Amino acid sequence: MNTEPYCIAGRLRMLARIVTGRYNDAFVSEGVTFAQAGLLMHIFAQPGIRQAQLSKQLQIEKSAMSRDVQLLQKNGWLTDSIRRGLFLTEAGRLLAKRCHKIWKALNQQVWEELGPQAVDGITTLSQKLIP
């Protein structure tokens, strides 16, 4: 076993890129990225949420959130009202439901590949770092 410490931030970024790539690949058939699918699923679960609140909740930079929101609007999946918040169109709701099925199957597959010990480690790390 290598006792030389490695850069935790670098390792986490590498793992995030690998896992995110798998999730992105899963959503190609729906024409969205994993991040966009995640926004659709969150807005489906919280209709009327404000963009700033969702950005804070998901720890997404406001500029990245704005780009994805604009793209979702352009594709006819999302409406945005400064006063009323974010709402999915009927097409957006249908897409969010399809994305949820894809996410659920892939998430279960990744969970099984990682195993309970690794997932517990991710949970512990998350609880320590996410407010």
Side-chain angles (χ1 to χ4, degrees):
M1 180 165 114
N2 185 359
T3 58
E4 183 76 24
Y6 57 81
C7 177
I8 293 169
R11 183 65 55 102
L12 287 171
R13 287 179 58 100
M14 182 189 322
L15 292 170
R17 286 191 297 270
I18 292 167
V19 174
T20 300
R22 285 190 63 188
Y23 280 71
N24 277 333
D25 290 347
F27 291 104
V28 165
S29 63
E30 295 298 338
V32 294
T33 64
F34 172 55
Q36 293 160 356
L39 289 178
L40 289 166
M41 290 184 286
H42 276 87
I43 296 165
F44 182 89
Q46 302 173 78
I49 190 168
R50 299 205 185 288
Q51 191 170 321
Q53 182 183 357
L54 187 57
S55 174
K56 187 175 182 179
Q57 193 178 84
L58 300 177
Q59 298 289 304
I60 298 173
E61 292 290 326
K62 289 180 183 179
S63 60
M65 172 71 76
S66 292
R67 282 191 301 274
D68 280 337
V69 164
Q70 287 174 357
L71 184 63
L72 296 174
Q73 287 174 316
K74 181 181 175 186
N75 287 318
W77 299 321
L78 179 67
T79 63
D80 183 16
S81 167
I82 292 174
R83 290 191 181 136
R84 294 184 53 230
L86 299 169
F87 291 91
L88 298 179
T89 63
E90 183 58 28
R93 282 190 289 279
L94 294 173
L95 177 57
K97 288 178 182 180
R98 291 192 309 271
C99 286
H100 184 261
K101 286 181 184 178
I102 292 167
W103 170 83
K104 191 172 180 181
L106 180 59
N107 209 57
Q108 181 64 36
Q109 179 185 356
V110 171
W111 196 99
E112 289 169 4
E113 288 173 12
L114 293 176
Q117 187 175 3
V119 174
D120 288 347
I122 294 168
T123 301
T124 300
L125 180 62
S126 298
Q127 289 169 342
K128 289 180 182 271
L129 297 178
I130 298 173

